[in-house]
Amino acid sequence: MKRDFLHVTDFTADEIHDTFALAREVKARFKGREDYKPFKDHTMAMIFAKPSARTRISFETGFFRMGGHALYLGPSDISIGKREAVKDIARVVARYNDVIMARLFAHEHVVELAEYASVPVVNGLTDYNHPCQIMADMFTILEHRGHLNDLKVVYVGDGNNIVHSWLRLAQLLPFHFVCACPDDYEPDAQTIADARQAGLSEIEISHEPLKAVKDADIVYTDVWASMGQKDEAEARKARFKGFQVNDQMMAATGRESLFMHCLPAERGVETTDSVLESKASIIFDEAENRMHAQNAILLKVCGKA
């Protein structure tokens, strides 16, 4: 049966743990320069409505190193949902390729793509969520801590697609998650409710970031204005005053917390150079692990693991 990965919740808790173990194994194979080609003679179509450095590089490099060929289709190649219907693109691209990765604006487009494609579809990001990023994030935390027990993650900033993915992960793995955001930038109410109803994790929405970060194992942030919101950047800077992750905020955790950011970062806006370059920062381990986590996801949905 065809598998897609559109949300973290498309995997079970056991499958998530299996994916972390597989990511660790594939990462070791890559580091050892092993001849590992499970995707020999396979092709992956990468549909980009939103451009990205990390998403393209990590998927394309990872798939190539596993023996496959990744085809980049940029915003001008496929104006998905505009020049051609999503359901038509899905059925055509699936005839040529073994798997599709899509990085889109509208979440309904990736859902429709998966509905009509006859091959697995992996969500490389939508305005609603970013499941591959959160898998890489939790895998990175596991690497650094050695376990996921008694974990407190505090996200500071806009209640965006990253937050929605953390909330969905909290339905499957137990941890304490806090989103510290201005009251008019809270995450989707239904996604919060679903995470709380699952009853596994402690979920908090806070508007006091300095209090929220107390005892945090992880302090996480993202840009205040995402792609497609840049016209709001100046207004958001004023609204998010006090939400910058700086040395004072990191000190307010009261412990040796780790700092994470999905990148790209606007240095001096949502966080400072001093935090980004500090010993607490694991942002480049996190960025590298995008490739390893995504490789494991591709192997699972394509039935190679």
Side-chain angles (χ1 to χ4, degrees):
M1 191 173 186
K2 182 174 87 84
R3 292 293 305 268
D4 300 305
F5 188 71
L6 309 185
H7 315 90
V8 181
T9 44
D10 288 336
F11 282 1
T12 65
D14 285 344
E15 286 176 323
I16 285 173
H17 287 297
D18 289 345
T19 304
F20 293 154
L22 184 56
R24 186 182 300 110
E25 176 191 330
V26 177
K27 183 175 183 177
R29 287 177 180 270
F30 276 27
K31 297 291 185 185
R33 309 300 298 188
E34 291 186 25
D35 184 23
Y36 178 61
K37 308 295 184 195
F39 285 112
K40 185 177 184 295
D41 297 326
H42 286 60
T43 58
M44 173 171 64
M46 304 189 301
I47 301 173
F48 281 78
K50 281 189 177 187
S52 168
R54 269 153 301 278
T55 299
R56 179 179 179 182
I57 295 167
S58 58
F59 270 106
E60 190 166 333
T61 302
F63 202 67
F64 171 77
R65 289 192 63 182
M66 292 190 294
H69 171 72
L71 175 67
Y72 174 76
L73 299 164
S76 61
D77 295 307
I78 296 180
S79 299
I80 195 161
K82 295 178 182 177
R83 192 174 69 194
E84 193 167 356
V86 176
K87 59 187 177 182
D88 294 347
I89 288 293
R91 287 176 284 194
V92 169
V93 174
R95 297 285 180 113
Y96 301 136
N97 294 274
D98 300 288
V99 60
I100 298 170
M101 187 283 295
R103 180 180 169 92
L104 311 174
F105 285 94
H107 187 69
E108 59 267 24
H109 284 172
V110 82
V111 172
E112 186 176 356
L113 198 63
E115 181 183 352
Y116 285 93
S118 57
V119 299
V121 174
V122 174
N123 179 359
L125 174 143
T126 65
D127 283 344
Y128 172 69
N129 70 343
H130 199 350
C132 290
Q133 179 68 56
I134 248 57
M135 290 291 284
D137 293 339
M138 196 59 111
F139 175 56
T140 306
I141 293 168
L142 179 59
E143 279 191 328
H144 277 266
R145 294 179 85 234
H147 61 84
L148 299 177
N149 302 328
D150 302 316
L151 175 66
K152 181 178 180 180
V153 177
V154 181
Y155 174 97
V156 181
D158 181 28
N160 61 12
N161 51 5
I162 293 291
V163 178
H164 296 153
S165 292
W166 275 115
L167 288 167
R168 280 184 170 263
L169 186 60
Q171 296 180 43
L172 300 168
L173 303 183
F175 59 98
H176 183 180
F177 179 72
V178 185
C179 176
C181 58
D183 56 11
D184 42 350
Y185 289 92
E186 292 188 359
D188 174 66
Q190 186 60 55
T191 307
I192 297 170
D194 290 344
R196 286 176 169 156
Q197 188 172 356
L200 271 183
S201 300
E202 183 179 352
I203 306 296
E204 289 184 64
I205 307 299
S206 171
H207 306 304
E208 300 179 88
L210 284 175
K211 290 183 179 178
V213 297
K214 187 177 186 304
D215 295 328
D217 295 292
I218 307 295
V219 177
Y220 195 121
T221 194
D222 189 10
V223 292
W224 291 341
S226 299
M227 200 176 298
Q229 301 171 333
K230 296 306 181 184
D231 57 335
E232 304 173 26
E234 290 307 311
R236 284 177 177 244
K237 281 181 186 178
R239 191 67 188 87
F240 282 79
K241 187 178 180 181
F243 287 83
Q244 183 188 71
V245 179
N246 50 31
D247 293 333
Q248 178 191 7
M249 188 172 291
M250 292 301 292
T253 68
R255 58 196 308 174
E256 293 186 7
S257 307
L258 296 172
F259 171 74
M260 301 182 77
H261 191 306
C262 56
L263 299 178
E266 293 190 11
R267 290 172 178 255
V269 181
E270 74 274 3
T271 189
T272 59
D273 268 351
S274 59
V275 171
L276 285 163
E277 301 293 346
S278 70
K279 65 177 184 179
S281 176
I282 57 172
I283 60 172
F284 297 112
D285 292 340
E286 179 185 4
E288 178 190 345
N289 281 337
R290 278 286 300 278
M291 180 169 69
H292 305 306
Q294 288 163 185
N295 286 346
I297 291 164
L298 286 168
L299 288 163
K300 286 194 76 65
V301 298
C302 293
K304 301 287 184 180

